[in-house]
Amino acid sequence: MPNDKLDLIFPVPVFHEKIWGGRKLETDFGYQIPDGPIGECWAISAHPNGDCPIAEGAWAGHTLSDLWDNHHELFAGAEGDRFPLLIKILDARDNLSVQVHPDDAYAAEHENGSLGKRECWYVLGAEPGTRIIIGQRAHDREELAAMIAEGRWDDMLNYVPCNAGDFFRIEPGTVHAIMGGTEILETQQSSDVTYRVYDFDRRQADGSTRPLHIQQSLDVVDYAAQAPTSGEVTAVEKDGVTDLMDCPNFTVERVRVDGKKVLDAPWSFLCCSVIEGEGTAVDAAAGVAHPVAKGSHFLVPAGSGALTLEGKMTLITSHLPL
Ligand code: ZN
């Protein structure tokens, strides 16, 4: 018997206006977005700052956080008091602020029990010559404080070339900034805690500047971390699947489909984002073939059995560590 409660779940994205945002979420991805500079599409999110509603299927009318709290069988085996992941697409027309995120321990103590934020970026598009900032060059807190106070940004910040198809891991404590001309799919812990180190002295529409968080930044920067020099993906693709990142918070993979591809379901749930092409997605328990295309995001719930993808498309998937 098909079970529609175990069908694929399609959250409705939540959009956020940002000073650095553009219009590509509409022109490149086909989303209906509000007016203004829209920087972020929260595609799979149960975070209170953007809790995706479900519009169709057995769970229509629920939000993702509601499913986590009240229908946890859909995430069987996943622990924790909140849905742990957040999948975003970012359209950076202009530079994001230079920022750093805390780890779980610091966020729990200083940010009302929030999660810390480990994140990673799959670059969907980049204008020629684009670079991004990952890592900083101060050796200790004192040196970093001096570089910030004196505005020695070129000495302090590590720039890396950024091309479509690159992948970057951003550990907690890593200074980073996405730069203008970049579209990114971000997989991250479900957290919205950002410490802004530098905002390019920008003013908002009302003339004000956005707040900086220098003391917190100095607290959380990992002074021993090695900054990367490239985001080129060197992992070997096996049967269409490339491992992009394994860490204590999530596993991220790129899945290329050309024809038919069946993914077994050892995970508690799977987040899927189609970043190129089109096709269909169907899980074994529900048996409903959903048309999907670039810009589609869906969750495969626990107990749904194997996921069958057909067509010509590329996806980024994420799940909790097995
Ligand atoms: Zn960040």
Side-chain angles (χ1 to χ4, degrees):
M1 274 279 289
N3 183 345
D4 67 342
K5 294 199 161 155
L6 294 179
D7 197 2
L8 306 179
I9 297 168
F10 288 78
V12 178
V14 176
F15 298 96
H16 290 274
E17 183 171 332
K18 296 283 174 181
I19 182 175
W20 44 262
R23 302 297 301 172
K24 284 186 176 166
L25 291 168
E26 179 176 51
T27 56
D28 273 20
F29 292 90
Y31 301 121
Q32 286 193 329
I33 62 175
D35 290 341
I38 304 301
E40 298 193 358
C41 164
W42 290 25
I44 301 179
S45 165
H47 193 279
N49 296 352
D51 188 5
C52 295
I54 316 296
E56 288 171 18
W59 304 109
H62 294 70
T63 62
L64 190 49
S65 70
D66 178 27
L67 295 187
W68 180 268
D69 292 340
N70 300 312
H71 299 278
H72 200 72
E73 68 279 5
L74 298 171
F75 311 94
E79 291 173 3
D81 60 355
R82 67 204 103 176
F83 184 76
L85 302 181
L86 205 172
I87 316 298
K88 292 180 185 175
I89 296 181
L90 286 79
D91 167 21
R93 186 186 44 79
D94 196 0
N95 300 339
L96 276 73
S97 60
V98 179
Q99 54 186 252
V100 60
H101 307 295
D103 62 13
D104 288 339
Y106 190 92
E109 187 179 339
H110 297 272
E111 301 290 347
N112 283 323
S114 172
L115 295 177
K117 187 168 164 188
R118 179 180 268 119
E119 65 187 52
C120 60
W121 307 336
Y122 188 86
V123 180
L124 301 174
E127 285 168 13
T130 301
R131 299 185 306 162
I132 51 180
I133 294 168
I134 302 181
Q136 57 80 36
R137 300 206 187 92
H139 298 94
D140 54 34
R141 182 185 180 114
E142 199 179 7
E143 188 180 8
L144 185 61
M147 285 174 156
I148 293 170
E150 294 158 20
R152 287 159 49 204
W153 309 114
D154 287 346
D155 290 346
M156 173 186 146
L157 299 172
N158 183 62
Y159 284 84
V160 184
C162 172
N163 300 295
D166 282 354
F167 182 80
F168 298 97
R169 348 169 26 125
I170 313 293
E171 297 291 331
T174 304
V175 172
H176 60 279
I178 295 172
M179 306 299 275
T182 318
E183 291 157 86
I184 277 178
L185 183 125
E186 180 173 274
T187 304
Q188 59 162 96
Q189 288 180 270
S190 184
S191 169
D192 208 16
V193 180
T194 292
Y195 299 137
R196 210 174 276 129
V197 181
Y198 175 51
D199 202 22
F200 305 96
D201 305 316
R202 269 188 296 211
R203 296 198 174 271
Q204 304 183 90
D206 67 0
S208 64
T209 55
R210 299 193 293 177
L212 301 178
H213 315 93
I214 304 300
Q215 289 311 314
Q216 294 96 321
S217 299
L218 294 173
D219 284 350
V220 304
V221 164
D222 179 354
Y223 296 97
Q226 275 290 328
T229 55
S230 160
E232 197 178 334
V233 174
T234 53
V236 179
E237 181 171 317
K238 281 184 212 139
D239 197 18
V241 179
T242 306
D243 283 328
L244 297 174
M245 181 163 177
D246 271 309
C247 69
N249 300 106
F250 43 72
T251 294
V252 180
E253 293 172 320
R254 180 181 60 201
V255 179
R256 291 192 213 268
V257 180
D258 191 356
K260 183 172 174 178
K261 171 125 198 86
V262 179
L263 297 179
D264 290 332
W267 18 260
S268 47
F269 64 91
L270 182 71
C271 300
C272 295
S273 300
V274 180
I275 59 165
E276 239 174 53
E278 59 185 355
T280 57
V282 53
D283 74 33
V288 180
H290 295 271
V292 294
K294 176 180 173 176
S296 299
H297 305 267
F298 55 94
L299 267 168
V300 189
S304 62
L307 173 69
T308 302
L309 302 165
E310 274 191 89
K312 190 162 173 57
M313 54 185 174
T314 304
L315 298 90
I316 301 294
T317 66
S318 52
H319 59 74
L320 300 183
L322 298 179

